PDB file of all heavy atoms in Angstrom:
ATOM      1  N   VAL A 123      95.270 131.115  88.812  1.00 98.00           N
ATOM      2  CA  VAL A 123      95.315 132.324  87.980  1.00 98.00           C
ATOM      3  C   VAL A 123      94.199 133.244  88.356  1.00 98.00           C
ATOM      4  O   VAL A 123      93.038 132.840  88.546  1.00 98.00           O
ATOM      5  CB  VAL A 123      95.185 131.964  86.452  1.00 98.00           C
ATOM      6  CG1 VAL A 123      94.937 133.239  85.626  1.00 98.00           C
ATOM      7  CG2 VAL A 123      96.433 131.265  85.983  1.00 98.00           C
ATOM      8  N   VAL A 124      94.498 134.558  88.521  1.00 98.00           N
ATOM      9  CA  VAL A 124      93.465 135.572  88.789  1.00 98.00           C
ATOM     10  C   VAL A 124      93.685 136.732  87.837  1.00 98.00           C
ATOM     11  O   VAL A 124      94.850 137.249  87.739  1.00 98.00           O
ATOM     12  CB  VAL A 124      93.536 136.061  90.252  1.00 98.00           C
ATOM     13  CG1 VAL A 124      92.447 137.124  90.520  1.00 98.00           C
ATOM     14  CG2 VAL A 124      93.437 134.910  91.226  1.00 98.00           C
ATOM     15  N   VAL A 125      92.633 137.167  87.156  1.00 98.00           N
ATOM     16  CA  VAL A 125      92.680 138.350  86.305  1.00 98.00           C
ATOM     17  C   VAL A 125      91.695 139.355  86.938  1.00 98.00           C
ATOM     18  O   VAL A 125      90.507 139.103  86.942  1.00 98.00           O
ATOM     19  CB  VAL A 125      92.303 138.025  84.871  1.00 98.00           C
ATOM     20  CG1 VAL A 125      92.244 139.350  84.027  1.00 98.00           C
ATOM     21  CG2 VAL A 125      93.291 137.052  84.256  1.00 98.00           C
ATOM     22  N   ASN A 126      92.209 140.496  87.382  1.00 98.00           N
ATOM     23  CA  ASN A 126      91.359 141.574  87.967  1.00 98.00           C
ATOM     24  C   ASN A 126      91.128 142.593  86.866  1.00 98.00           C
ATOM     25  O   ASN A 126      92.082 143.239  86.397  1.00 98.00           O
ATOM     26  CB  ASN A 126      92.086 142.163  89.135  1.00 98.00           C
ATOM     27  CG  ASN A 126      91.228 143.302  89.753  1.00 98.00           C
ATOM     28  OD1 ASN A 126      89.998 143.343  89.605  1.00 98.00           O
ATOM     29  ND2 ASN A 126      91.872 144.202  90.488  1.00 98.00           N
ATOM     30  N   VAL A 127      89.888 142.747  86.467  1.00 98.00           N
ATOM     31  CA  VAL A 127      89.500 143.704  85.379  1.00 98.00           C
ATOM     32  C   VAL A 127      89.239 145.043  85.986  1.00 98.00           C
ATOM     33  O   VAL A 127      88.278 145.191  86.794  1.00 98.00           O
ATOM     34  CB  VAL A 127      88.348 143.153  84.596  1.00 98.00           C
ATOM     35  CG1 VAL A 127      87.899 144.214  83.537  1.00 98.00           C
ATOM     36  CG2 VAL A 127      88.655 141.836  83.955  1.00 98.00           C
ATOM     37  N   THR A 128      90.031 146.055  85.683  1.00 98.00           N
ATOM     38  CA  THR A 128      89.856 147.384  86.229  1.00 98.00           C
ATOM     39  C   THR A 128      89.329 148.320  85.101  1.00 98.00           C
ATOM     40  O   THR A 128      88.196 148.105  84.615  1.00 98.00           O
ATOM     41  CB  THR A 128      91.126 147.934  86.846  1.00 98.00           C
ATOM     42  OG1 THR A 128      92.157 148.076  85.864  1.00 98.00           O
ATOM     43  CG2 THR A 128      91.606 147.053  87.989  1.00 98.00           C
ATOM     44  N   SER A 129      90.087 149.301  84.645  1.00 96.00           N
ATOM     45  CA  SER A 129      89.571 150.244  83.622  1.00 96.00           C
ATOM     46  C   SER A 129      90.714 151.092  83.107  1.00 96.00           C
ATOM     47  O   SER A 129      91.716 151.318  83.815  1.00 96.00           O
ATOM     48  CB  SER A 129      88.507 151.152  84.303  1.00 96.00           C
ATOM     49  OG  SER A 129      88.197 152.236  83.441  1.00 96.00           O
ATOM     50  N   ASP A 130      90.520 151.579  81.877  1.00 94.00           N
ATOM     51  CA  ASP A 130      91.482 152.525  81.326  1.00 94.00           C
ATOM     52  C   ASP A 130      91.456 153.805  82.108  1.00 94.00           C
ATOM     53  O   ASP A 130      92.430 154.606  82.037  1.00 94.00           O
ATOM     54  CB  ASP A 130      91.254 152.786  79.862  1.00 94.00           C
ATOM     55  CG  ASP A 130      89.851 153.365  79.550  1.00 94.00           C
ATOM     56  OD1 ASP A 130      89.009 153.353  80.450  1.00 94.00           O
ATOM     57  OD2 ASP A 130      89.636 153.832  78.433  1.00 94.00           O
ATOM     58  N   LYS A 131      90.413 154.090  82.870  1.00 94.00           N
ATOM     59  CA  LYS A 131      90.292 155.310  83.617  1.00 94.00           C
ATOM     60  C   LYS A 131      91.121 155.307  84.917  1.00 94.00           C
ATOM     61  O   LYS A 131      91.062 156.254  85.704  1.00 94.00           O
ATOM     62  CB  LYS A 131      88.833 155.629  83.900  1.00 94.00           C
ATOM     63  CG  LYS A 131      88.000 155.928  82.657  1.00 94.00           C
ATOM     64  CD  LYS A 131      86.609 156.224  83.026  1.00 94.00           C
ATOM     65  CE  LYS A 131      85.822 156.641  81.746  1.00 94.00           C
ATOM     66  NZ  LYS A 131      85.725 155.534  80.769  1.00 94.00           N
ATOM     67  N   CYS A 132      91.883 154.226  85.112  1.00 96.00           N
ATOM     68  CA  CYS A 132      92.731 154.169  86.305  1.00 96.00           C
ATOM     69  C   CYS A 132      93.921 155.097  86.201  1.00 96.00           C
ATOM     70  O   CYS A 132      94.578 155.364  87.232  1.00 96.00           O
ATOM     71  CB  CYS A 132      93.214 152.712  86.565  1.00 96.00           C
ATOM     72  SG  CYS A 132      94.376 152.128  85.299  1.00 96.00           S
ATOM     73  N   TYR A 133      94.209 155.625  85.022  1.00 96.00           N
ATOM     74  CA  TYR A 133      95.414 156.480  84.828  1.00 96.00           C
ATOM     75  C   TYR A 133      95.140 157.927  85.258  1.00 96.00           C
ATOM     76  O   TYR A 133      93.991 158.389  85.211  1.00 96.00           O
ATOM     77  CB  TYR A 133      95.836 156.461  83.366  1.00 96.00           C
ATOM     78  CG  TYR A 133      96.373 155.110  82.912  1.00 96.00           C
ATOM     79  CD1 TYR A 133      95.647 154.277  82.086  1.00 96.00           C
ATOM     80  CD2 TYR A 133      97.659 154.722  83.288  1.00 96.00           C
ATOM     81  CE1 TYR A 133      96.131 153.062  81.705  1.00 96.00           C
ATOM     82  CE2 TYR A 133      98.156 153.484  82.896  1.00 96.00           C
ATOM     83  CZ  TYR A 133      97.384 152.662  82.108  1.00 96.00           C
ATOM     84  OH  TYR A 133      97.858 151.423  81.702  1.00 96.00           O
ATOM     85  N   GLU A 134      96.196 158.598  85.685  1.00 94.00           N
ATOM     86  CA  GLU A 134      96.116 159.993  85.899  1.00 94.00           C
ATOM     87  C   GLU A 134      96.032 160.686  84.548  1.00 94.00           C
ATOM     88  O   GLU A 134      97.020 160.813  83.825  1.00 94.00           O
ATOM     89  CB  GLU A 134      97.372 160.487  86.656  1.00 94.00           C
ATOM     90  CG  GLU A 134      97.401 161.990  86.936  1.00 94.00           C
ATOM     91  CD  GLU A 134      96.272 162.471  87.810  1.00 94.00           C
ATOM     92  OE1 GLU A 134      95.940 161.806  88.805  1.00 94.00           O
ATOM     93  OE2 GLU A 134      95.720 163.552  87.512  1.00 94.00           O
ATOM     94  N   ASN A 135      94.835 161.076  84.178  1.00 92.00           N
ATOM     95  CA  ASN A 135      94.563 161.544  82.788  1.00 92.00           C
ATOM     96  C   ASN A 135      95.014 163.016  82.657  1.00 92.00           C
ATOM     97  O   ASN A 135      94.434 163.911  83.264  1.00 92.00           O
ATOM     98  CB  ASN A 135      93.111 161.398  82.454  1.00 92.00           C
ATOM     99  CG  ASN A 135      92.850 161.590  80.961  1.00 92.00           C
ATOM    100  OD1 ASN A 135      93.692 162.119  80.248  1.00 92.00           O
ATOM    101  ND2 ASN A 135      91.715 161.127  80.495  1.00 92.00           N
ATOM    102  N   ARG A 136      96.000 163.211  81.816  1.00 90.00           N
ATOM    103  CA  ARG A 136      96.517 164.556  81.535  1.00 90.00           C
ATOM    104  C   ARG A 136      96.128 165.033  80.153  1.00 90.00           C
ATOM    105  O   ARG A 136      96.706 165.983  79.606  1.00 90.00           O
ATOM    106  CB  ARG A 136      98.003 164.571  81.736  1.00 90.00           C
ATOM    107  CG  ARG A 136      98.417 164.184  83.156  1.00 90.00           C
ATOM    108  CD  ARG A 136      99.929 164.128  83.369  1.00 90.00           C
ATOM    109  NE  ARG A 136     100.247 163.618  84.686  1.00 90.00           N
ATOM    110  CZ  ARG A 136     101.526 163.430  85.127  1.00 90.00           C
ATOM    111  NH1 ARG A 136     102.535 163.692  84.327  1.00 90.00           N
ATOM    112  NH2 ARG A 136     101.700 162.973  86.336  1.00 90.00           N
ATOM    113  N   GLU A 137      95.157 164.349  79.527  1.00 86.00           N
ATOM    114  CA  GLU A 137      94.643 164.775  78.194  1.00 86.00           C
ATOM    115  C   GLU A 137      95.773 164.717  77.146  1.00 86.00           C
ATOM    116  O   GLU A 137      95.810 165.534  76.267  1.00 86.00           O
ATOM    117  CB  GLU A 137      94.010 166.129  78.260  1.00 86.00           C
ATOM    118  CG  GLU A 137      92.921 166.305  79.300  1.00 86.00           C
ATOM    119  CD  GLU A 137      91.588 165.684  78.907  1.00 86.00           C
ATOM    120  OE1 GLU A 137      91.473 165.290  77.748  1.00 86.00           O
ATOM    121  OE2 GLU A 137      90.696 165.594  79.756  1.00 86.00           O
ATOM    122  N   TRP A 138      96.715 163.742  77.324  1.00 86.00           N
ATOM    123  CA  TRP A 138      97.778 163.607  76.333  1.00 86.00           C
ATOM    124  C   TRP A 138      97.231 163.087  74.998  1.00 86.00           C
ATOM    125  O   TRP A 138      96.284 162.304  74.996  1.00 86.00           O
ATOM    126  CB  TRP A 138      98.809 162.632  76.870  1.00 86.00           C
ATOM    127  CG  TRP A 138      99.718 163.157  77.942  1.00 86.00           C
ATOM    128  CD1 TRP A 138     100.096 164.444  78.145  1.00 86.00           C
ATOM    129  CD2 TRP A 138     100.359 162.395  78.961  1.00 86.00           C
ATOM    130  NE1 TRP A 138     100.913 164.550  79.187  1.00 86.00           N
ATOM    131  CE2 TRP A 138     101.097 163.298  79.770  1.00 86.00           C
ATOM    132  CE3 TRP A 138     100.404 161.031  79.290  1.00 86.00           C
ATOM    133  CZ2 TRP A 138     101.872 162.915  80.803  1.00 86.00           C
ATOM    134  CZ3 TRP A 138     101.176 160.625  80.356  1.00 86.00           C
ATOM    135  CH2 TRP A 138     101.914 161.564  81.113  1.00 86.00           C
ATOM    136  N   PRO A 139      97.840 163.469  73.885  1.00 85.00           N
ATOM    137  CA  PRO A 139      97.377 162.919  72.598  1.00 85.00           C
ATOM    138  C   PRO A 139      97.891 161.480  72.349  1.00 85.00           C
ATOM    139  O   PRO A 139      97.483 160.853  71.360  1.00 85.00           O
ATOM    140  CB  PRO A 139      98.009 163.882  71.558  1.00 85.00           C
ATOM    141  CG  PRO A 139      99.201 164.453  72.259  1.00 85.00           C
ATOM    142  CD  PRO A 139      98.862 164.511  73.731  1.00 85.00           C
ATOM    143  N   TRP A 140      98.822 161.004  73.135  1.00 89.00           N
ATOM    144  CA  TRP A 140      99.355 159.658  72.968  1.00 89.00           C
ATOM    145  C   TRP A 140      98.747 158.732  74.031  1.00 89.00           C
ATOM    146  O   TRP A 140      98.159 159.202  75.006  1.00 89.00           O
ATOM    147  CB  TRP A 140     100.844 159.606  73.056  1.00 89.00           C
ATOM    148  CG  TRP A 140     101.439 160.273  74.303  1.00 89.00           C
ATOM    149  CD1 TRP A 140     101.596 159.738  75.519  1.00 89.00           C
ATOM    150  CD2 TRP A 140     101.898 161.653  74.431  1.00 89.00           C
ATOM    151  NE1 TRP A 140     102.145 160.629  76.413  1.00 89.00           N
ATOM    152  CE2 TRP A 140     102.367 161.821  75.723  1.00 89.00           C
ATOM    153  CE3 TRP A 140     101.977 162.736  73.523  1.00 89.00           C
ATOM    154  CZ2 TRP A 140     102.871 163.028  76.240  1.00 89.00           C
ATOM    155  CZ3 TRP A 140     102.563 163.923  73.964  1.00 89.00           C
ATOM    156  CH2 TRP A 140     102.956 164.076  75.322  1.00 89.00           C
ATOM    157  N   GLY A 141      98.875 157.417  73.802  1.00 92.00           N
ATOM    158  CA  GLY A 141      98.267 156.473  74.683  1.00 92.00           C
ATOM    159  C   GLY A 141      99.042 156.302  76.018  1.00 92.00           C
ATOM    160  O   GLY A 141     100.264 156.389  76.018  1.00 92.00           O
ATOM    161  N   TYR A 142      98.315 155.944  77.081  1.00 94.00           N
ATOM    162  CA  TYR A 142      98.935 155.639  78.349  1.00 94.00           C
ATOM    163  C   TYR A 142      99.478 154.236  78.351  1.00 94.00           C
ATOM    164  O   TYR A 142      98.850 153.305  77.885  1.00 94.00           O
ATOM    165  CB  TYR A 142      97.891 155.818  79.451  1.00 94.00           C
ATOM    166  CG  TYR A 142      97.476 157.261  79.642  1.00 94.00           C
ATOM    167  CD1 TYR A 142      96.423 157.786  78.919  1.00 94.00           C
ATOM    168  CD2 TYR A 142      98.215 158.119  80.484  1.00 94.00           C
ATOM    169  CE1 TYR A 142      96.052 159.120  79.027  1.00 94.00           C
ATOM    170  CE2 TYR A 142      97.824 159.446  80.614  1.00 94.00           C
ATOM    171  CZ  TYR A 142      96.781 159.940  79.904  1.00 94.00           C
ATOM    172  OH  TYR A 142      96.433 161.244  80.007  1.00 94.00           O
ATOM    173  N   ARG A 143     100.683 154.105  78.880  1.00 97.00           N
ATOM    174  CA  ARG A 143     101.344 152.800  79.039  1.00 97.00           C
ATOM    175  C   ARG A 143     101.090 152.266  80.455  1.00 97.00           C
ATOM    176  O   ARG A 143     100.798 153.040  81.411  1.00 97.00           O
ATOM    177  CB  ARG A 143     102.795 152.907  78.777  1.00 97.00           C
ATOM    178  CG  ARG A 143     103.147 153.386  77.343  1.00 97.00           C
ATOM    179  CD  ARG A 143     104.650 153.653  77.234  1.00 97.00           C
ATOM    180  NE  ARG A 143     105.070 154.718  78.139  1.00 97.00           N
ATOM    181  CZ  ARG A 143     106.323 154.992  78.417  1.00 97.00           C
ATOM    182  NH1 ARG A 143     107.296 154.373  77.793  1.00 97.00           N
ATOM    183  NH2 ARG A 143     106.605 155.990  79.257  1.00 97.00           N
ATOM    184  N   GLU A 144     101.327 150.986  80.604  1.00 97.00           N
ATOM    185  CA  GLU A 144     101.076 150.357  81.918  1.00 97.00           C
ATOM    186  C   GLU A 144     101.973 150.928  83.038  1.00 97.00           C
ATOM    187  O   GLU A 144     101.675 150.785  84.219  1.00 97.00           O
ATOM    188  CB  GLU A 144     101.288 148.851  81.796  1.00 97.00           C
ATOM    189  CG  GLU A 144     100.219 148.087  81.006  1.00 97.00           C
ATOM    190  CD  GLU A 144     100.488 148.071  79.517  1.00 97.00           C
ATOM    191  OE1 GLU A 144     101.377 148.851  79.031  1.00 97.00           O
ATOM    192  OE2 GLU A 144      99.813 147.325  78.781  1.00 97.00           O
TER     193      GLU A 144
END
Side-chain angles (χ1 to χ4, degrees):
V123 167
V124 182
V125 177
N126 180 23
V127 177
T128 61
S129 170
D130 61 346
K131 294 181 177 64
C132 68
Y133 292 106
E134 179 62 41
N135 192 343
R136 301 177 184 178
E137 307 282 351
W138 285 333
W140 52 85
Y142 292 89
R143 299 171 299 169
E144 290 86 348

